[in-house]
Amino acid sequence: MECFGISRTDEMPPHFIFDFSETFDASDNRISPQDHLEAHDRSRSIARPPACNYCGKTFPSSWKLTRHIRIHTGEKPYKCTVCNRCFAVSSNLRRHMDIHTGRTSNKCTECGKCLSQSSTLLRHVRAFHSGENPNKCTECGKYFANPSSLGGHIRSVHTAEKPYKCTECGQCFSRRDKLRDHVRRMHTDG
């Protein structure tokens, strides 16, 4: 038997050795040798998962890659018709709409602000009402309302990292909101 130019089975890697001597009939639940071989061939020909052109991170599907790329570009195609707030992910807009319709039970007892998720309400209470704030910069000691604000601070003040790239001109930014402002100012009509 010859496989990949190897003629003797003792030279073949173990996963290539398959006993074709068994017979299979239609009532047998085991996979046929031909089906096994075809499945193996398909598994070896699967294309590499899509990767982000900005950071190289790979994703199991193209729609997840598209959603991820919006982190770098600042694109937010889903807009609330009530308050004009924009979102990168449609499910975040749907969750946000609960605030306007009153379908959320996440209302701050201190100030009455409605938030879309219980985790967001907890962060809000910690940041504005309890005095507790776990988002402290280890470099300068400054406190932030949420982890993403702390991350933006670290990138813009303490490191040179600029992961948010403008798709129009290639300029890079340390914070997503700075990219969004740039796109509005430089690349939007009106």
Side-chain angles (χ1 to χ4, degrees):
M1 179 169 132
E2 187 170 310
C3 182
F4 299 101
I6 302 171
S7 58
R8 294 184 14 226
T9 56
D10 58 343
E11 295 174 4
M12 295 174 71
H15 81 280
F16 287 114
I17 300 172
F18 189 86
D19 183 6
F20 287 96
S21 63
E22 290 187 70
T23 57
F24 294 82
D25 61 19
S27 64
D28 198 340
N29 288 333
R30 293 177 293 174
I31 189 168
S32 74
Q34 185 62 35
D35 289 342
H36 179 271
L37 201 54
E38 287 173 6
H40 176 79
D41 288 345
R42 279 193 308 274
S43 74
R44 295 289 172 231
S45 66
I46 293 175
R48 294 177 62 175
C52 176
N53 291 334
Y54 296 96
C55 67
K57 186 174 179 181
T58 59
F59 294 86
S61 61
S62 58
W63 71 266
K64 287 184 178 180
L65 171 62
T66 301
R67 185 177 67 184
H68 166 80
I69 287 173
R70 290 181 183 142
I71 291 170
H72 299 291
T73 63
E75 178 190 12
K76 293 186 176 185
Y78 306 101
K79 187 175 184 178
C80 175
T81 56
V82 178
C83 68
N84 293 329
R85 185 171 173 190
C86 296
F87 299 88
V89 181
S90 60
S91 60
N92 290 351
L93 171 60
R94 283 194 301 275
R95 190 179 321 118
H96 165 80
M97 291 304 293
D98 290 344
I99 294 169
H100 297 302
T101 60
R103 288 188 302 221
T104 182
S105 60
N106 303 307
K107 188 173 185 177
C108 178
T109 56
E110 295 290 322
C111 66
K113 182 173 183 172
C114 290
L115 297 134
S116 59
Q117 294 178 289
S118 57
S119 60
T120 311
L121 174 59
L122 180 61
R123 275 199 314 263
H124 166 80
V125 170
R126 278 185 183 160
F128 299 105
H129 304 301
S130 73
E132 172 191 350
N133 195 326
N135 304 301
K136 182 180 180 181
C137 177
T138 56
E139 295 288 321
C140 66
K142 190 172 180 182
Y143 287 94
F144 295 87
N146 55 57
S148 62
S149 295
L150 171 59
H153 162 77
I154 290 170
R155 280 192 303 274
S156 64
V157 176
H158 302 296
T159 69
E161 183 185 2
K162 294 184 175 186
Y164 305 104
K165 186 175 183 179
C166 177
T167 56
E168 297 288 322
C169 67
Q171 187 173 348
C172 295
F173 299 87
S174 60
R175 293 177 19 194
R176 193 178 319 160
D177 62 324
K178 298 299 181 188
L179 169 61
R180 188 175 51 243
D181 293 344
H182 163 81
V183 169
R184 282 186 193 139
R185 200 174 55 256
M186 305 301 289
H187 305 296
T188 308
D189 295 333

